[in-house]
Amino acid sequence: MKYAGLLVMPAGFFLTIAAILLFSAPAPRAAFVLCGLAVEGLGLAVAVRGHMEARGGSRP
Amino acid sequence: MTPPLPAAPVLTEAFFALTLALLFLAPLAIAGVALINTGLGRSRSAAQSLLGNLAILAVAAIVFALAGATFAGAPGAAGHSFQLAGKSWNWLGAGPLFLGGLGSAQPQTQLALLFEFLAVALAAIIPWGSGADRLRLTAGCATAAVLAAIVFPLAVHWIWGGGWLAQLGDQFGLGAGFVDGGGAATVHLLGGLSALAVVWIAGPRRGKFPREGLSTALPGHNAVYVLFGCLLALVGWLAWNVAGAVLFLHAPLAALPVTAVNTLLSASGAIAATFAVTRIRFGKPDASLCANGWLTGLVASTACAGLVTSGQALFVGIVAGIVTPFMVEVLELALSIDDPSGAVTVHAVGGLWGLLAAGLFAPLPGQLVAQLVGIATLLGLVLPLVYLLFWLLNRVVPFRVDPDGERIGMDLHELGGGAYPDFVIHRDESYR
């Protein structure tokens, strides 16, 4: 699960790159950059969740 | 290869001397962080911790000289690039090998390189503090080598070396491009994310998260080290931010005292806010959290001290100081992240907030989006890359000490002697 989250994060990065390439108007560009960051946040949340589950299973 | 970019304005002799003098003071920031790392660890690992800071600094400097500086490049120098959607993406520096021609390079190029040497050392010791009490010395040095050879040079080239993030303004009309005068991204965000990767891979300290109940408090062994480290860090940070403003923001002479004042105000606002929050929540101010708050304020100032007004710098610091104790608590209690030095909060979250604030308060249109793209790059590309590299490294050089070593302490296990031979050092069993 942690690895899945870490794999999602670059997808958010590529979304931000797509945003600055595809949109020239400030509003949609900013909105899509924020969407990219949201995807990264989602990936980070999944990775953290995976870390917590792994930690819970190996507590002494 | 891309053609060389327009170089920064040539430094006058006075500016050169001033910046060089500031860079001689900047290592105090590293000394402060090293002292804080040591003080927040346990007494039975103190010598290993401080020796580790020195060893990591040395390894980072050597590896950066041998390999990293080539990929980092310099502003105005040539770099490797590719074409995408009609734009040139300068992604890797193409500097001379082994610092060739350094003596004949332009003065600002030499100063920028010295700044980068200090920056890589600071970035590399940040994860060391998070891995305190269980990270082996060789593993700390290996992580420093990976950061100095691969990850740090990439970030430096993109941001300070005229790479694609620095060119967001010219190519896409996003303000002045991604702006990071003092290294909030290249040093602190990178260091903080590396700390998160180290903590994830090494795991928590023994007994930190027992099966029953909440996490166990493992307080730092010397609050005096920690608080004196904060004072040392202030001197280093003042020099660091002003030198960064000269080198990477091309600030005029009149803007330099304001940059220093903003640095101080950000740190002051942060510690005042953390003091108040911990006083209200716990009944008494918490020394280690206040130290973390102070450092978070300094970290946030690295991104924006040269760009904002003094009132805005104070606001940045206050927000950083309010966020710090809550983030430390969330990471430990809710997310099971055992980070003894608080590096993930201080450096990653503080750096993020500073970079965001630089975009929020900058007068240029599009600057906020440029800052968000830079943050997305560090978070979305660099964190997975660092985690992957450290995960592979852990297969070759195991990060974590064996259970017996952790029980007797890193000093005895790795160095054969303790930092405080005249004092009784408590083992885990003493607390039970």
Side-chain angles (χ1 to χ4, degrees):
Chain A
M1 198 163 162
K2 187 195 288 182
Y3 304 114
L6 287 168
L7 283 173
V8 168
M9 295 180 75
F13 163 71
F14 288 116
L15 197 57
T16 62
I17 297 301
I20 59 171
L21 282 174
L22 297 176
F23 299 101
S24 53
R29 182 182 265 182
F32 268 74
V33 167
L34 285 173
C35 287
L37 274 166
V39 170
E40 289 183 6
L42 191 69
L44 186 61
V46 171
V48 168
R49 183 81 188 159
H51 166 77
M52 287 167 64
E53 284 180 2
R55 191 57 43 216
S58 64
R59 283 186 174 190
Chain B
M1 300 275 277
T2 53
L5 295 165
V10 176
L11 290 180
T12 62
E13 282 188 4
F15 246 122
F16 180 85
L18 169 70
T19 313
L20 189 61
L22 289 168
L23 289 176
F24 290 154
L25 286 173
L28 287 175
I30 300 173
V33 172
L35 215 48
I36 293 167
N37 282 349
T38 303
L40 288 174
R42 305 179 80 177
S43 56
R44 62 194 188 190
S45 305
Q48 188 252 12
S49 173
L50 209 47
L51 177 64
N53 284 298
L54 283 171
I56 286 169
L57 192 157
V59 168
I62 291 168
V63 173
F64 188 70
L66 293 178
T70 304
F71 307 130
H80 296 284
S81 64
F82 60 88
Q83 295 290 320
L84 178 67
K87 309 282 185 186
S88 174
W89 298 74
N90 185 343
W91 70 283
L92 190 67
L97 279 172
F98 310 132
L99 306 178
L102 177 62
S104 57
Q106 285 195 332
Q108 59 263 50
T109 305
Q110 295 187 25
L111 289 174
L113 193 69
L114 175 56
F115 192 98
E116 287 167 12
F117 268 101
L118 299 175
V120 73
L122 183 52
I125 68 169
I126 290 169
W128 178 246
S130 295
D133 302 322
R134 75 273 205 207
L135 196 64
R136 293 165 63 236
L137 206 47
T138 45
C141 293
T143 58
V146 167
L147 286 177
I150 302 170
V151 188
F152 178 82
L154 274 179
V156 160
H157 182 69
W158 295 346
I159 296 165
W160 289 340
W164 67 274
L165 279 174
Q167 292 176 10
L168 285 175
D170 294 336
Q171 299 234 46
F172 299 98
L174 296 176
F178 183 68
V179 172
D180 177 20
T186 51
V187 178
H188 300 288
L189 188 48
L190 175 60
L193 295 176
S194 304
L196 181 62
V198 162
V199 168
W200 271 348
I201 291 167
R205 287 169 288 178
R206 186 169 165 266
K208 178 66 184 172
F209 298 115
R211 193 173 287 279
E212 306 85 20
L214 293 171
S215 70
T216 308
L218 300 173
H221 84 281
N222 197 325
V224 178
Y225 284 0
V226 176
L227 295 171
F228 184 64
C230 289
L231 289 172
L232 271 186
L234 172 67
V235 181
W237 241 275
L238 289 171
W240 195 288
N241 283 355
V242 174
V246 171
L247 290 170
F248 302 117
L249 301 178
H250 313 306
L253 201 58
L256 302 186
V258 180
T259 303
V261 167
N262 287 351
T263 304
L264 181 61
L265 281 175
S266 181
S268 304
I271 196 169
T274 308
F275 190 99
V277 168
T278 54
R279 171 80 176 75
I280 292 166
R281 294 199 67 207
F282 310 128
K284 291 177 182 174
D286 183 288
S288 71
L289 283 175
C290 284
N292 275 340
W294 172 262
L295 211 52
T296 311
L298 287 174
V299 168
S301 77
T302 50
C304 59
L307 301 167
V308 299
T309 64
S310 296
Q312 289 165 343
L314 184 62
F315 172 76
V316 167
I318 289 171
V319 172
I322 292 171
V323 167
T324 299
F326 292 108
M327 273 307 294
V328 167
E329 200 171 308
V330 165
L331 287 176
E332 181 174 324
L333 299 182
L335 306 181
S336 301
I337 291 172
D338 180 19
D339 179 8
S341 67
V344 179
T345 299
V346 168
H347 297 279
V349 177
L352 270 177
W353 165 233
L355 291 167
L356 193 63
L360 283 173
F361 297 126
L364 291 170
Q367 189 62 50
L368 180 58
V369 176
Q371 297 300 105
L372 290 175
V373 171
I375 289 170
T377 305
L378 269 287
L379 205 58
L381 205 59
V382 173
L383 174 61
L385 175 66
V386 170
Y387 186 85
L388 173 68
L389 292 171
F390 283 3
W391 184 82
L392 292 172
L393 190 64
N394 186 41
R395 306 272 142 179
V396 183
V397 185
F399 279 17
R400 194 181 179 103
V401 71
D402 57 66
D404 195 48
E406 198 176 350
R407 189 182 60 80
I408 65 172
M410 301 301 283
D411 283 356
L412 279 178
H413 183 70
E414 293 222 290
L415 307 180
Y420 311 102
D422 294 341
F423 294 88
V424 175
I425 302 297
H426 296 283
R427 295 180 176 171
D428 280 343
E429 291 79 4
S430 316
Y431 296 101
R432 290 176 183 160

